[in-house]
């Protein structure tokens, strides 16, 4: 028989073991990662006054800071918030849930144009993502132009896309709007894979791809283009907090024949989740060689808000690498190199970046695949999401080309390539850039392509089986003369040129605008150029002479038009 002391010891040990298994305090929550000084993370227990004070402080700093170095990310953990978020320049507002409905904002998440008396044509570089918003007034406003995505949102009310003056946006994707979208003075807009309560209005070019309850009407009156499904699409990666409080990145998978959102009604979202320790968290000032070494070790990249100067090209060589920017993280190649190059590999995602050209001309600011790339990537393509380029505006910047796509099967999802027409360091001989987008790969699909003001061709497409769903372009404002902007016997350069050897290409909802302020006598002979073949087809095109300043003689080749001081707008339903 055991002694009482031994029995007591055994009992105590057993009790302790039981406590450790079922009654011990849970493990400490995961530590909040250091995402740098320009990321603000709010939780549902954060006092409302604290959140509102920070949000207002960021907006006051960023409302007019169009070309400044400030970058901000305002992130909300799952929960409910009574707050009014006015979104200024270079600011990302995002929820940290797996679904937009995990983060509920009762108030507003909106973009206004008060700083320009209602003119929203310069409301660039801002993002609203992964939130559910119940607007206090019953309607929210997102009065924006390019590079201002409204993505993965659930708006429980109406959405207004203008602020009384002109607006020149825009992009809405993977979102649900319970009420009506009122486009107002928006000149053009792409809505992709979303659900709408209704849509009102339209100026020149409104495109709906994979949209439930897209508006009815026949182009060009109203100017609606409807495509029932998105053939191949992938959503943007996003940062979220899991149930244990750990930060992770969700990497969406490929969707085919997509229609409506990826997340509604508890849908299982295709894709996978990656822990944050798989990422190098890159802060401004991190040396380029350290970033490259992390990539070589198999790391992904999470770039925090700020301006990241590069002394060499960042080279992505590992299949499946994710490069995700927060708060419009900005890359600047200081020494005339590319900012980023991607090898001819599967599944790379590049998202949420602004690339600013440096003062030394880069051959290209970004290159996807090397010249001559021939591999197929149809099962796991490279995809680009909310990737924006700027040449000039923030200072002198130069590049020969901006984005070159050599790999096949690439998906582009909201791209803006911009040679600046205002700001600092601009002029015909200052922010020089010959071409915007060059596509050499086959089966490349683009949703939301914005390309503006390049000195020669805006977009050149040499690959087979390319598809563009929505194209918005402004030709260069500043050719000093017709002689300075001509080639051979042709006046001007086309905005969108399909190579003469291409047998199959298709585009839906394509628009090009002319506004030749340096010399209003300048003429562009055509906005679109393509071989006349049965396999090369365009649906719903528009050209505009903005204010009647300058002339676009024809829409495609020698067909359609003109757009000039007498006939400002020309439509073409199809070509050939």
């Amino acid at each position: 028989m055991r002694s009482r002391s031994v029995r007591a010891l055994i009992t105590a040990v057993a009790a302790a073991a039981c406590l450790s298994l079922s009654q011990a305090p849970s493990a400490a929550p995961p530590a909040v990662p250091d995402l740098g000084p320009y990321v603000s993370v709010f939780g549902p227990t954060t006092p409302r006054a604290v959140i509102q004070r920070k949000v207002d402080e960021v907006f006051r700093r960023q409302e007019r800071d169009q070309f400044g170095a400030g970058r901000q990310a305002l992130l909300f953990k799952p929960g409910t918030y009574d707050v009014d978020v006015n979104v200024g320049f270079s600011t990302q507002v995002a929820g940290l849930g797996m679904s937009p409905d995990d983060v509920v904002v009762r108030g507003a998440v909106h973009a206004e144009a008060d700083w320009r008396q209602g003119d929203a044509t310069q409301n660039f570089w801002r993002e609203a993502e992964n939130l559910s918003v119940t607007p206090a007034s019953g309607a929210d406003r997102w009065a924006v132009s390019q590079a201002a995505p409204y993505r993965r949102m659930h708006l429980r009310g109406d959405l207004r896309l203008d602020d009384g003056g002109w607006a020149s946006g825009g992009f809405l994707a993977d979102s649900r709007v319970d009420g009506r979208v009122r486009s107002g003075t928006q000149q053009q807009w792409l809505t992709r894979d979303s659900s709408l309560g209704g849509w009102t209005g339209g100026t020149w070019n409104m495109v709906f791809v994979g949209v439930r309850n897209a508006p009815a009407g026949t182009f060009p009156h109203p100017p609606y283009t409807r495509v029932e499904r998105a053939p191949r699409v992938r959503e943007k990666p996003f940062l979220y907090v899991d149930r244990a409080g750990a930060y992770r990145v969700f990497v969406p998978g490929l969707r085919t024949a997509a229609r409506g959102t990826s997340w509604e009604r508890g849908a299982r979202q295709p894709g996978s989740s990656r822990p944050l320790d798989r990422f190098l968290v890159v802060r401004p000032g991190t040396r380029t060689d350290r970033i490259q070494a992390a990539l070589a070790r198999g790391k992904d990249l999470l770039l925090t808000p700020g301006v990241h100067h590069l002394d060499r090209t960042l080279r992505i060589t590992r299949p499946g690498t994710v490069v995700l920017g927060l708060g419009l993280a900005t890359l600047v190649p200081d020494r005339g190199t590319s900012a980023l190059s991607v090898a001819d590999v599967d599944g790379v995602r590049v998202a949420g970046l602004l690339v600013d050209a440096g003062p030394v001309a880069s051959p290209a600011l970004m290159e996807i695949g090397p010249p001559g790339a021939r591999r197929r990537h149809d099962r796991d393509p490279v995809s680009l999401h909310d990737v924006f380029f700027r040449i000039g505006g923030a200072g002198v910047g130069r590049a020969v080309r901006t984005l070159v796509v050599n790999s096949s099967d690439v998906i582009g999802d909201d791209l803006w390539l911009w040679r600046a027409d205002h700001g600092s360091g601009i002029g015909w001989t200052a922010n020089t850039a010959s071409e915007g987008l060059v596509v050499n790969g086959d089966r490349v699909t683009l949703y939301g392509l914005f390309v503006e003001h390049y000195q020669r061709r805006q977009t050149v497409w040499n690959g087979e089986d390319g598809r563009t769903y929505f194209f918005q372009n402004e030709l260069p404002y500043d050719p000093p003369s017709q002689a300075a902007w001509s080639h051979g016997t042709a006046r001007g350069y086309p905005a969108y040129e399909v190579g003469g050897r291409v047998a199959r290409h298709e585009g839906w909802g394509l628009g090009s605008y002319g506004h030749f302020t340096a010399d209003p006598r300048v003429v562009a002979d055509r906005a679109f150029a393509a071989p006349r073949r049965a396999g090369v087809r365009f649906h719903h095109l528009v050209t505009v002479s903005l204010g009647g300043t300058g002339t676009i003689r024809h829409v495609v080749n020698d067909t359609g038009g003109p757009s000039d001081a007498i006939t400002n707008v020309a439509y073409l339903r199809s070509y050939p």
Side-chain angles (χ1 to χ4, degrees), residues 278-487:
R278 179 168 168 171
F279 289 74
L280 174 68
V281 178
V282 183
R283 300 174 184 81
T286 303
R287 287 172 41 179
T288 312
D289 59 355
R290 184 186 169 204
I291 302 172
Q292 193 64 59
L295 289 167
R297 296 195 307 272
K299 289 281 191 178
D300 297 323
L301 301 182
L302 183 69
L303 290 98
T304 65
V307 179
H308 302 258
H309 289 271
L310 305 174
D311 61 9
R312 69 196 74 177
T313 302
L314 288 178
R315 301 189 182 279
I316 311 298
T317 59
R318 177 176 56 84
T321 300
V322 172
V323 179
L324 176 61
L326 299 178
L328 291 108
T330 301
L331 303 179
V332 182
D334 290 323
R335 298 185 179 179
T337 65
S338 298
L340 190 72
S341 74
V342 178
D344 193 27
V345 296
D346 283 351
V348 172
R349 280 83 157 176
V350 180
L353 294 180
L354 171 61
V355 181
D356 242 337
V360 181
S362 298
L365 292 179
M366 186 178 293
E367 187 174 53
I368 310 300
R374 288 293 178 266
R375 293 182 58 193
R376 293 207 62 159
H377 307 283
D378 50 316
R379 295 186 178 182
D380 192 10
V382 172
S383 55
L384 312 177
H385 313 267
D386 300 340
V387 178
F388 312 129
F389 301 86
R390 185 168 65 186
I391 300 174
V396 173
R398 299 182 176 95
V400 179
R401 295 170 167 180
T402 299
L403 174 62
V404 178
V405 178
N406 294 313
S407 288
S408 294
D409 304 295
V410 172
I411 295 172
D413 182 39
D414 188 25
L415 308 176
W416 187 34
L417 291 68
W418 187 59
R419 176 181 167 258
D421 62 286
H422 63 275
S424 174
I426 65 165
W428 192 251
T429 59
N431 60 327
T432 54
S434 293
E435 294 173 331
L437 172 68
V438 178
V439 178
N440 297 318
D442 296 336
R443 300 173 302 280
V444 172
T445 304
L446 302 183
Y447 302 94
L449 173 61
F450 305 77
V451 188
E452 296 187 303
H453 308 307
Y454 286 86
Q455 293 173 293
R456 293 189 179 180
R457 298 174 295 179
Q458 313 293 303
T459 296
V460 184
W461 208 297
N462 299 315
E464 290 288 356
D465 295 302
R467 295 184 175 193
T468 298
Y469 298 90
F470 180 92
F471 173 73
Q472 185 267 331
N473 162 257
E474 289 181 359
L475 296 167
Y477 287 178
D478 56 343
S481 66
Q482 189 71 70
W485 197 56
S486 295
H487 64 291

Side-chain angles (χ1 to χ4, degrees), residues 97-379:
M98 266 299 290
S99 163
D101 289 334
D102 292 340
V103 179
V104 178
V105 174
R106 298 186 301 206
V109 175
H110 56 117
E112 311 285 348
D114 297 339
W115 72 289
R116 285 179 59 85
Q117 295 75 52
D119 177 3
T121 56
Q122 292 183 30
N123 269 13
F124 311 139
W125 305 306
R126 62 198 75 199
E127 300 174 330
E129 299 183 66
N130 203 27
L131 298 162
S132 171
V133 182
T134 303
S137 66
D140 226 342
R141 191 191 316 276
W142 193 248
V144 298
S145 292
Q146 294 82 8
Y150 195 83
R151 182 188 286 277
R152 198 177 165 81
M153 297 286 287
H154 183 185
L155 181 62
R156 302 172 187 272
D158 292 343
L159 181 63
R160 297 170 180 165
L161 301 181
D162 75 320
D163 197 8
W166 282 109
S168 184
F171 182 87
L172 185 154
D174 200 24
S175 295
R176 173 173 178 156
V177 179
D178 290 350
R180 299 186 71 82
V181 179
R182 304 179 187 276
S183 66
T185 57
Q186 274 291 347
Q187 296 168 334
Q188 64 276 316
W189 194 274
L190 172 66
T191 304
R192 176 185 66 69
D193 296 300
S194 295
S195 298
L196 308 178
W199 181 284
T200 302
T203 303
W204 293 323
N205 186 26
M206 304 289 166
V207 178
F208 306 85
V209 181
V211 175
R212 298 184 187 278
N213 201 27
T218 303
F219 185 89
H221 304 295
Y224 296 158
T225 299
R226 293 182 303 278
V227 178
E228 186 69 14
R229 294 182 181 273
R232 300 173 70 253
V233 71
R234 180 189 280 148
E235 301 301 335
K236 179 183 178 181
F238 59 90
L239 185 68
Y240 75 102
V241 177
D242 68 15
R243 293 181 179 179
Y247 285 71
R248 304 178 67 88
V249 172
F250 188 75
V251 183
L254 190 66
R255 300 171 71 199
T256 57
R259 186 167 183 261
T261 70
S262 66
W263 51 267
E264 280 186 85
R265 304 180 185 91
R268 184 180 182 277
Q269 302 172 62
S272 59
S273 180
R274 300 186 183 183
L276 202 59
D277 60 13
R278 179 168 168 171
F279 289 74
L280 174 68
V281 178
V282 183
R283 300 174 184 81
T286 303
R287 287 172 41 179
T288 312
D289 59 355
R290 184 186 169 204
I291 302 172
Q292 193 64 59
L295 289 167
R297 296 195 307 272
K299 289 281 191 178
D300 297 323
L301 301 182
L302 183 69
L303 290 98
T304 65
V307 179
H308 302 258
H309 289 271
L310 305 174
D311 61 9
R312 69 196 74 177
T313 302
L314 288 178
R315 301 189 182 279
I316 311 298
T317 59
R318 177 176 56 84
T321 300
V322 172
V323 179
L324 176 61
L326 299 178
L328 291 108
T330 301
L331 303 179
V332 182
D334 290 323
R335 298 185 179 179
T337 65
S338 298
L340 190 72
S341 74
V342 178
D344 193 27
V345 296
D346 283 351
V348 172
R349 280 83 157 176
V350 180
L353 294 180
L354 171 61
V355 181
D356 242 337
V360 181
S362 298
L365 292 179
M366 186 178 293
E367 187 174 53
I368 310 300
R374 288 293 178 266
R375 293 182 58 193
R376 293 207 62 159
H377 307 283
D378 50 316
R379 295 186 178 182

Side-chain angles (χ1 to χ4, degrees), residues 187 203-205 219-221 223 471 509-514 524-528 539-548 550-574:
Q187 296 168 334
T203 303
W204 293 323
N205 186 26
F219 185 89
H221 304 295
F471 173 73
L510 313 177
S512 178
Y513 313 148
D525 279 339
R526 57 194 53 82
F528 299 89
H539 314 273
H540 300 180
L541 302 98
V542 59
T543 60
V544 182
S545 176
L546 295 171
T551 297
I552 301 175
R553 180 60 56 194
H554 295 290
V555 180
V556 184
N557 294 342
D558 296 326
T559 302
S563 296
D564 54 21
I566 298 171
T567 306
N568 288 156
V569 183
Y571 293 105
L572 188 63
R573 286 193 175 92
S574 63

Side-chain angles (χ1 to χ4, degrees), residues 504-526:
R504 297 175 304 280
H505 184 89
E506 200 158 5
W508 291 261
L510 313 177
S512 178
Y513 313 148
H515 186 57
F516 304 121
T517 55
D519 183 353
R521 297 169 298 178
V522 165
V523 174
D525 279 339
R526 57 194 53 82

